[in-house]
Amino acid sequence: SSPNFILGQVDFNSNIPNYGAAHAGASSAQGFACPYGMAFNAQQLLVADANNNRVLIFPVVNGNVSKTATGVLGQTDFVSNTSGTTAQTLNFPSGVALS
């Protein structure tokens, strides 16, 4: 079967890193720079955004995934992407899990 929605790009033919950012190459709540792993349940989809050193959290409402993240782990906001090794930062996250 074919996919019926896309995250991180304007269409199925695009491949722009950090699509959705105000300026090219900047992090945002809509785009990725090397999405590496994901996990989902009925309430949320988590995507490990490796090159942005973060995990984005997308809400799932009535079975539909939002195209804009509402939460971020590893950064203080959606535009930051600094790597780190503290309890609040991430360095190239490559997977996520939900229980």
Side-chain angles (χ1 to χ4, degrees):
S1 81
S2 298
N4 57 9
F5 76 97
I6 190 167
L7 291 176
Q9 296 296 319
V10 65
D11 58 39
F12 289 101
N13 297 314
S14 300
N15 63 355
I16 303 165
N18 289 321
Y19 168 78
H23 25 94
S27 303
S28 73
Q30 295 87 30
F32 309 109
C34 193
Y36 219 88
M38 72 169 128
F40 68 95
N41 61 23
Q43 292 82 34
Q44 58 193 352
L45 167 70
L46 277 63
V47 179
D49 186 11
N51 281 355
N52 283 324
N53 302 298
R54 66 186 184 174
V55 172
L56 291 177
I57 304 168
F58 296 87
V60 176
V61 179
N62 297 325
N64 296 310
V65 178
S66 171
K67 292 190 181 272
T68 301
T70 57
V72 61
L73 302 172
Q75 300 297 326
T76 56
D77 54 40
F78 290 107
V79 297
S80 301
N81 64 6
T82 305
S83 66
T85 56
T86 69
Q88 293 82 29
T89 60
L90 298 170
N91 185 13
F92 200 83
S94 59
V96 292
L98 290 167
S99 60

